[in-house]
């Protein structure tokens, strides 16, 4: 790293080297049985430099020739965008717990047993289900340094357990699933098993709905699969800067329902999306995006913040290219209504747990439309069974500007989103006739 | 990667393991990316990679090790075998393929990796200028990537294959903004090694910019069942999502009930319906000579005359289902184990002209191009980038983009007309098991589907 930086400093005004190495050990189960044990090691080195005001970029996965790396970055520099920022000098970083030495200590045998227990618990409920499961542990180490004296490094441990099951009955397929992630080892399969068996229980019977407008409860998984992609895009500082976000001129306005609070938080202890700093060396923070319905702040990296005359929010994230604003953990604030009270409140409606294809429309405008892969019908305050061959369509901003209620029990989905259930008064539902 | 030296090293690392099968893959690649947002050239960069993996099979159990440190090949191989041994508890079932030794060079016409960065930038500048000079356009989004990749595969059965390929992908979006609405229109193009495929898009770029603006005032479809006509690009996505994924044998080979549902000979569509997948077509993005297990690419009829004829296999799924391997085991890159994937998937042309297809539709939807598509095997969705009402046999007003959904057991039967105008779309990428985007192509002629469910307000 030092050599790359010192070579880069000789040819460019400013330079920054970022290195990440990781080791992940997934244990995979297929068709209810142990199938594959993997070890995945990787290392990447990224050089960003600023020469004559322009940004150059080169990345190497694997063995690095420092001179070649510098030359490639220099070549791209002549075409690169104009840098509006300086690399950050020395900073104080918050202490955030994201490493647990116990995680690495979990043995393969323990992981195999955990997966087997999870599958057994689900099959005890529904013997004919065919499950795929993964139990995975890993460590990622990040180091970065730049020509302005900035320096950061950290290690993160992570552990995931997840299951997806399919139950085929005649010509009907039912898909269920859940997962859990933490920097701590997960020793208990019960939370995932309970969620999955709960889905199986509610979906025991197929029932039909009719094509019309009706109230809808989004479960935490339903929120994740329906509403989050458009929101994440809308709060991306880059889209705001380009004028491609519907929220571009809504800062300070009461744009959402008063009960709706949303924030991004990279500082939550032992969460897999947490870290002391972002991929540009800016300290991690909690950023309020919506405060009781009022649009508060957008997510920024250094360059976008400079172009927008504001400060980075520590959300510069590398996804195989230059840093770009990207959320860490997204959190939706809890409300005061229990899920079952929402159900009891409905005369006729829908509970959406998994919407398929909802992210594949014009998410810039907040539109979502998808097939109800897992959802339940509510009649006179009770869930009566599973709904299928049904498509719902709506707009995130319309849904979130007028909520019927916000749930009391927030739940993590996929390690990246913490959300309660959201109850929306009316949504367009269309279904196959006969 | 210097062929001779690497080859010896791999051969050495493969020797003397107590395993039913071991394979080593080494991969070297270089990707160039250019990204624009609005007037800003956002990113010009280059990523090069050298890495590999070892996969071992012992008594039906797999071990897999991926790495960037290619020096310790022997060590990686031993670890993979050890892991496989922890898993294996039954008999190995793995179809044999003839061992081959072959070096397959990249097919290129105008090699994109040889085009100077300045020329690429100039072309993208032209496209960007067309979008941004269109009145009411708010911004643009352009993402260009080309890659060259060389993969060496060696197996304990004596196969040694080196394959090189050059791939390019371009997506252009025009974004228009009006009173409280943001609309976009895009095109996505790809090519297996020919920069010329993206050099003459000026008219199409102008068209997406104009369409994005027109969408600002367009109404949204009403949700419900419609007769829909899909253009060749969207019908290709439909073929991929509606049936292609269900044909991948890894979904069914361990699931007895799914096997009963997907029994060969079962009727899924009418007699006019033929769906084919295959890598053995030259020059398409899903084409190759050998898959990532060393099986030669083939052409496979998934549906012939409406009836399920065969499915896509890896060597393991073929052996377990006692069918022939089809050369469809593919890995996105060295960090992943090969899984069953599609290559070039298409609906064969029929006899109906586009005009005839529309003529007896009183009210329907004409849906074109794609945002995306996804499937849960039984149910699937696919979304159109462009849609119009059909009224009294004519294409009528523009609609906001629509999402369509179907059920494999009914929707394929509801295809009642297949056009005579097959087109392949090279712009797509497929995702499965966390491996995305894998280069594939899809295609079809225009098709008409009765009673297709459309989402709307």
């Amino acid at each position: 790293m030092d050599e790359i930086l010192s070579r880069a400093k000789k040819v460019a005004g400013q330079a920054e080297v970022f290195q990440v190495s990781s080791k992940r050990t997934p244990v995979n189960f297929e068709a209810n049985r142990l199938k594959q044990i993997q070890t995945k090691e990787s290392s990447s080195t990224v050089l960003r430099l600023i020469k004559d005001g322009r940004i150059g970029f080169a990345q190497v996965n694997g063995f690095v020739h420092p001179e070649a790396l510098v030359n490639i970055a220099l070549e791209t520099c002549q075409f690169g965008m104009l840098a509006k920022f300086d690399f950050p000098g020395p900073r104080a970083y918050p202490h955030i717990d994201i490493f647990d030495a116990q995680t690495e200590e979990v043995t393969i045998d323990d992981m195999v047993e955990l997966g087997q227990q999870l599958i057994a618990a689900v099959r005890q409920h529904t013997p004919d289900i065919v499950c795929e499961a993964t139990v995975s542990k890993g460590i990622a180490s990040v180091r970065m340094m730049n020509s302005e004296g900035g320096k950061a490094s950290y290690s993160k441990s992570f552990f995931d357990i997840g299951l997806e099951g399919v139950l085929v009955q005649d010509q009907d397929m039912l898909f269920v699933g859940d997962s859990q992630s933490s920097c701590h080892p997960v020793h208990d399969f019960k939370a995932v098993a309970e969620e999955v068996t709960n889905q199986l229980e509610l979906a025991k019977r197929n029932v039909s709905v009719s094509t019309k407008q009706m109230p809808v409860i989004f479960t935490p998984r339903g929120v994740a699969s329906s509403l989050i992609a458009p929101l994440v895009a809308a709060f991306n500082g880059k889209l705001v800067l380009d004028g491609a976000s519907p929220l571009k001129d809504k800062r300070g306005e009461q744009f959402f329902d008063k009960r709706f609070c949303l924030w991004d938080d990279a500082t939550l202890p032992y969460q897999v999306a947490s870290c002391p700093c972002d991929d540009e060396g800016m300290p991690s923070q909690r950023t309020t995006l919506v405060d009781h319905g009022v649009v508060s702040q957008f997510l920024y990296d250094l360059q976008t913040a400079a172009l927008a005359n504001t400060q980075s929010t520590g959300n510069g994230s590398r996804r195989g290219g230059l840093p770009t604003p990207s959320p860490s953990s997204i959190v939706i604030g809890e409300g005061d209504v229990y899920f079952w009270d929402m159900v009891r409140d409905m005369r006729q409606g829908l509970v959406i747990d998994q919407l398929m294809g909802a992210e594949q429309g014009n998410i810039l405008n907040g539109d979502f439309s998808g097939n109800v892969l897992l959802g339940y019908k509510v009649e006179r305050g009770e869930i009566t069974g599973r709904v299928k061959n049904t498509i719902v369509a709506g707009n995130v901003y319309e849904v979130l500007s007028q909520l019927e209620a916000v749930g009391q029990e927030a739940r993590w989905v996929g390690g990246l989103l913490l959300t309660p259930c959201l109850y929306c008064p009316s949504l367009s539902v269309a279904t196959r006739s006969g | 990667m210097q062929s001779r030296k690497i080859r010896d090293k791999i051969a050495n690392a493969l020797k003397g393991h107590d395993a039913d099968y071991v394979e080593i893959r080494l991969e070297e690649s270089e990707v160039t990316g250019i990204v624009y947002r609005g007037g800003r050239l956002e990113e010009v960069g280059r990523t090069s990679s050298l890495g590999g993996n070892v996969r071992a099979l012992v008594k039906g159990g797999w071990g897999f090790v991926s790495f960037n440190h290619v020096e310790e090949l022997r060590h990686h191989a031993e670890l993979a075998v050890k892991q496989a041994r922890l898993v294996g508890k039954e008999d190995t079932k793995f179809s044999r393929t003839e061992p081959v030794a072959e070096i397959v060079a990249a097919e290129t016409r105008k090699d994109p990796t040889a085009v100077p960065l300045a020329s690429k930038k100039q072309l993208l500048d032209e496209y960007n200028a067309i979008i941004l000079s269109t009145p009411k356009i708010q911004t643009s989004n352009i993402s260009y990537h080309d890659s060259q990749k060389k993969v060496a595969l060696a197996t304990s059965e004596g196969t040694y294959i080196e394959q090189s390929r050059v791939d390019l992908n371009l997506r252009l979006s025009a974004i228009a903004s009006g009173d409280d609405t943001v609309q976009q229109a895009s095109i996505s193009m790809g090519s297996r090694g020919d920069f010329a495929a993206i050099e003459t898009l000026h008219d199409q770029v102008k068209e997406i910019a104009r369409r994005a603006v027109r969408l600002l005032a367009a109404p949204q479809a009403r949700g419900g069942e419609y007769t829909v006509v899909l253009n060749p690009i969207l019908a290709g996505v439909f073929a991929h999502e509606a049936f292609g994924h269900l044909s991948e044998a890894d979904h069914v080979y361990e699931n007895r009930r799914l096997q009963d549902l997907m029994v060969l000979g079962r009727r899924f569509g009418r007699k006019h319906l033929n769906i084919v997948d295959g890598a053995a077509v030259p020059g398409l993005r899903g084409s190759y000579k050998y898959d990532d297990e060393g099986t030669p690419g083939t052409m496979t009829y998934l549906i012939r005359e409406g009836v399920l004829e065969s499915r896509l296999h890896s060597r393991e799924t073929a052996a377990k289902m006692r069918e022939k391997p089809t050369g469809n085991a593919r890995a996105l890159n060295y960090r992943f184990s090969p899984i069953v994937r599609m290559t070039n998937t298409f609906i064969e042309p029929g006899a109906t002209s586009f005009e005839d297809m529309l003529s007896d539709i009183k009210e329907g939807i004409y849906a074109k191009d794609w945002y995306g598509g996804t499937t849960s095997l039984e149910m699937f969705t696919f979304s159109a980038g462009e849609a119009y009402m059909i009224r009294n046999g004519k294409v009528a007003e523009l609609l906001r983009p629509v999402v369509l959904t179907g059920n494999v057991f009914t929707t394929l039967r509801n295809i009642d007309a297949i056009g005579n105008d097959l087109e392949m779309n090279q712009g797509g990428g497929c995702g499965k098991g966390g491996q995305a985007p894998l280069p594939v192509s899809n295609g079809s002629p225009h098709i008409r589907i009765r009673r297709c469910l459309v989402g709307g307000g």
Side-chain angles (χ1 to χ4, degrees):
Chain A
M1 254 181 124
D2 293 305
E3 189 192 342
I4 299 168
L5 190 62
S6 65
R7 276 180 186 271
K9 275 200 292 202
K10 279 182 202 147
V11 294
Q14 291 190 35
E16 170 205 58
V17 187
F18 177 88
Q19 235 169 18
V20 57
S21 59
S22 70
K23 181 179 174 182
R24 220 166 83 83
T25 310
V27 172
N28 299 325
F29 296 80
E30 200 179 288
N32 301 327
R33 294 197 303 272
L34 178 61
K35 178 73 181 180
Q36 180 160 198
I37 298 173
Q38 304 190 331
T39 303
K40 295 179 153 198
E41 286 184 278
S42 72
S43 58
S44 300
T45 305
V46 193
L47 173 65
R48 191 160 55 142
L49 38 82
I50 304 173
K51 183 179 161 72
D52 303 330
R54 290 185 181 274
I55 301 171
F57 168 84
Q59 175 168 344
V60 172
N61 303 320
F63 182 76
V64 190
H65 295 279
E67 193 183 346
L69 186 68
V70 173
N71 286 341
I72 295 169
L74 265 185
E75 188 201 337
T76 64
C77 235
Q78 50 187 314
F79 304 104
M81 67 173 159
L82 289 169
K84 298 288 181 195
F85 65 97
D86 296 316
F87 291 121
R91 302 276 164 145
Y93 296 116
H95 175 81
I96 296 161
D97 289 318
I98 47 168
F99 186 83
D100 181 344
Q102 298 288 322
T103 302
E104 179 59 14
E105 301 299 315
V106 180
T107 65
I108 298 273
D109 286 344
D110 289 343
M111 293 165 72
V112 170
E113 197 188 331
L114 190 65
Q116 282 167 342
Q117 286 172 333
L118 173 61
I119 291 169
V122 172
R123 290 186 73 204
Q124 193 182 1
H125 181 276
T126 304
D128 291 328
I129 195 168
V130 177
C131 301
E132 281 185 20
T134 299
V135 179
S136 177
K137 67 170 182 178
I139 288 181
S141 298
V142 173
R143 290 199 299 157
M144 63 194 103
M145 56 190 349
N146 65 43
S147 54
E148 311 313 293
K151 220 172 190 180
S153 68
Y154 62 88
S155 288
K156 185 192 310 198
S157 58
F158 47 91
F159 196 98
D160 307 290
I161 171 170
L163 178 137
E164 279 177 34
V166 56
L167 179 65
V168 180
Q169 284 170 309
D170 299 324
Q171 218 164 271
D172 175 66
M173 296 181 207
L174 168 64
F175 290 86
V176 291
D178 193 39
S179 65
Q180 193 183 340
S181 305
S182 174
C183 297
H184 291 305
V186 177
H187 294 298
D188 196 346
F189 60 90
K190 289 201 188 79
V192 174
E194 201 171 291
E195 170 66 26
V196 172
T197 51
N198 191 29
Q199 293 166 10
L200 286 166
E201 194 59 36
L202 295 175
K204 262 190 173 156
R205 202 161 72 92
N206 285 346
V207 292
S208 59
V209 285
S210 40
T211 295
K212 62 176 179 185
Q213 295 274 333
M214 62 179 78
V216 167
I217 301 168
F218 293 94
T219 67
R221 284 177 7 116
V223 172
S225 57
S226 313
L227 311 177
I228 290 302
L231 277 185
V232 164
F235 283 95
N236 182 329
K238 214 163 240 187
L239 274 81
V240 174
L241 178 68
D242 291 344
S245 165
L247 305 180
K248 60 180 190 271
D249 48 8
K250 301 286 185 281
R251 219 170 136 189
E253 263 182 48
Q254 181 83 43
F255 193 68
F256 295 95
D257 189 285
K258 277 203 168 85
R259 284 162 293 185
F260 184 69
C261 295
L262 177 75
W263 61 93
D264 177 79
D265 197 344
T267 69
L268 296 167
Y270 296 107
Q271 284 303 323
V272 291
S274 294
C275 44
C277 61
D278 71 358
D279 294 346
E280 302 184 284
M282 293 303 288
S284 287
Q285 65 180 55
R286 169 181 155 148
T287 305
T288 301
L289 305 175
V290 180
D291 183 10
H292 292 92
V294 177
V295 178
S296 169
Q297 174 65 283
F298 304 118
L299 299 178
Y300 289 101
D301 59 7
L302 284 169
Q303 170 81 352
T304 313
L307 287 166
N309 278 326
T310 181
Q311 304 297 316
S312 165
T313 52
N315 287 86
S317 164
R318 297 173 194 262
R319 306 258 159 116
L322 284 169
T324 187
S326 171
S328 39
S329 291
I330 289 280
V331 185
I332 295 176
E334 287 178 350
D336 53 5
V337 182
Y338 285 108
F339 170 72
W340 288 107
D341 287 334
M342 293 178 184
V343 172
R344 269 189 283 276
D345 182 63
M346 272 185 176
R347 249 188 79 74
Q348 195 188 60
L350 206 58
V351 175
I352 292 178
D353 192 54
Q354 192 73 34
L355 203 59
M356 173 172 65
E359 298 174 4
Q360 292 171 337
N362 181 20
I363 64 166
L364 286 184
N365 197 50
D367 298 335
F368 66 94
S369 177
N371 178 312
V372 182
L373 185 59
L374 187 59
Y376 319 107
K377 184 184 186 180
V378 178
E379 276 178 294
R380 284 181 226 92
E382 277 179 36
I383 289 181
T384 52
R386 176 192 178 205
V387 163
K388 59 186 285 197
N389 295 310
T390 298
I391 191 164
V392 300
N395 181 284
V396 170
Y397 303 107
E398 282 168 24
V399 168
L400 297 178
S401 65
Q402 202 193 354
L403 289 166
E404 191 69 35
V406 175
Q408 193 166 56
E409 313 117 307
R411 196 167 188 278
W412 281 98
V413 185
L416 302 172
L417 171 72
L418 177 63
T419 179
C421 295
L422 297 176
Y423 182 4
C424 123
S426 179
L427 208 61
S428 160
V429 177
T431 191
R432 202 171 70 184
S433 58
Chain B
M1 264 185 338
Q2 291 173 333
S3 300
R4 191 69 244 171
K5 215 168 118 193
I6 286 285
R7 195 172 165 173
D8 289 346
K9 216 168 160 178
I10 297 177
N12 218 11
L14 272 174
K15 272 185 204 150
H17 297 287
D18 186 14
D20 298 324
Y21 172 80
V22 184
E23 72 186 15
I24 295 179
R25 218 151 22 108
L26 289 184
E27 184 179 309
E28 192 177 41
S29 69
E30 189 166 280
V31 180
T32 299
I34 305 174
V35 178
Y36 284 74
R37 294 183 78 95
R40 302 193 308 276
L41 172 65
E42 176 108 339
E43 183 170 330
V44 180
R46 194 164 281 171
T47 298
S48 52
S49 308
L50 175 60
N53 67 62
V54 183
R55 196 166 65 130
L57 179 58
V58 178
K59 290 184 180 169
W62 288 102
F64 177 87
V65 175
S66 69
F67 45 84
N68 285 120
H69 294 287
V70 295
E71 288 72 32
E72 301 151 23
L73 268 188
R74 175 96 210 156
H75 165 75
H76 298 313
E78 281 164 2
L79 180 58
V81 172
K82 188 177 142 201
Q83 292 179 160
R85 195 169 299 285
L86 283 173
V87 180
K89 301 249 176 336
E90 26 192 277
D91 289 336
T92 284
K93 293 200 176 88
F94 197 59
S95 289
R96 253 192 89 70
T97 57
E98 272 311 302
V100 283
E102 189 169 342
I103 292 178
V104 184
E107 281 172 48
T108 53
R109 287 206 188 90
K110 183 170 181 181
D111 185 352
T113 62
V115 175
L117 212 44
S119 312
K120 292 173 187 169
K121 185 176 167 288
Q122 192 192 332
L123 178 69
L124 299 178
D125 277 339
E126 286 170 25
Y127 292 154
N128 205 20
I130 292 173
I131 298 176
L132 295 175
S133 64
T134 306
K136 290 196 187 163
I137 283 292
Q138 174 74 33
T139 185
S140 65
N141 225 319
I142 298 177
S143 155
Y144 167 92
H145 289 92
D146 64 46
S147 67
Q148 53 181 333
K149 185 164 161 177
K150 181 156 114 183
V151 182
L153 170 76
T155 73
S156 53
E157 297 162 331
T159 285
Y160 183 85
I161 301 168
E162 255 180 54
Q163 296 189 93
S164 299
R165 64 181 297 156
V166 174
D167 189 72
L168 85 84
N169 193 250
L170 170 66
R171 189 163 175 94
L172 297 137
S173 303
I175 296 157
S177 154
D179 297 336
D180 286 333
T181 176
V182 178
Q183 293 294 323
Q184 54 178 325
S186 308
I187 38 173
S188 213
M189 301 290 289
S191 163
R192 179 87 189 268
D194 189 7
F195 192 74
I198 60 157
E199 281 182 310
T200 51
L201 302 176
H202 300 78
D203 289 346
Q204 289 179 57
V205 173
K206 195 174 287 178
E207 171 50 31
I208 60 159
R210 288 181 179 159
R211 191 167 74 236
V213 173
R214 289 209 315 276
L215 280 170
L216 292 173
Q220 201 187 2
R222 185 169 35 80
E225 281 184 319
Y226 290 89
T227 296
V228 300
V229 174
L230 310 183
N231 85 329
I233 291 178
L234 187 60
V237 174
F238 167 81
H240 178 104
E241 300 299 347
F243 203 75
H245 280 295
L246 192 56
S247 307
E248 294 163 343
D250 55 344
H251 296 299
V252 293
Y253 82 118
E254 301 269 30
N255 190 329
R256 182 64 52 194
R257 287 187 178 183
L258 257 180
Q259 280 178 36
D260 292 344
L261 270 183
M262 293 300 290
V263 66
L264 299 184
R266 177 177 179 154
R267 178 163 291 281
F268 277 90
R270 302 181 193 184
K271 245 189 136 161
H272 61 181
L273 182 65
N274 295 288
I275 304 180
V276 184
D277 178 276
V281 204
L284 295 177
R285 284 187 78 217
S287 305
Y288 47 77
K289 187 149 187 199
Y290 298 99
D291 75 358
D292 288 318
E293 293 181 330
T295 307
T298 58
M299 293 300 289
T300 308
Y301 269 87
L302 307 177
I303 288 185
R304 197 196 293 265
E305 298 189 348
V307 169
L308 178 61
E309 177 166 293
S310 42
R311 49 187 133 241
L312 306 178
H313 280 297
S314 66
R315 294 174 61 179
E316 184 181 28
T317 63
K320 289 206 167 162
M321 296 189 78
R322 297 189 185 152
E323 293 171 11
K324 274 197 188 143
T326 55
N328 285 82
R330 305 178 66 186
L332 182 68
N333 59 41
Y334 61 92
R335 287 177 175 157
F336 297 96
S337 204
I339 54 176
V340 182
R341 301 300 292 262
M342 280 174 264
T343 57
N344 308 299
T345 314
F346 58 96
I347 297 176
E348 283 189 338
T352 314
S353 73
F354 177 54
E355 288 72 26
D356 285 350
M357 215 177 269
L358 294 180
S359 64
D360 68 341
I361 302 175
K362 221 174 144 257
E363 190 190 69
I365 288 178
Y366 178 40
K368 294 173 76 175
D369 300 355
W370 59 273
Y371 262 114
T374 188
T375 180
S376 72
L377 304 183
E378 183 195 5
M379 294 184 290
F380 52 85
T381 65
F382 54 106
S383 53
E386 185 179 354
Y388 301 86
M389 285 306 293
I390 300 170
R391 295 188 193 280
N392 300 316
K394 297 262 178 338
V395 175
E397 73 270 20
L398 178 70
L399 297 169
R400 293 271 168 91
V402 293
V403 177
L404 306 97
T405 190
N407 182 306
V408 69
F409 299 113
T410 53
T411 309
L412 289 178
R413 274 175 212 269
N414 289 345
I415 298 175
D416 75 339
I418 296 180
N420 53 9
D421 46 0
L422 171 67
E423 255 181 67
M424 294 302 291
N425 165 33
Q426 306 267 35
C430 171
K432 177 181 173 186
Q435 301 193 40
L438 188 74
V440 293
S441 74
N442 305 314
S444 173
H446 276 92
I447 62 170
R448 183 173 65 200
I449 310 174
R450 299 287 182 184
R451 293 182 57 197
C452 185
L453 198 51
V454 175

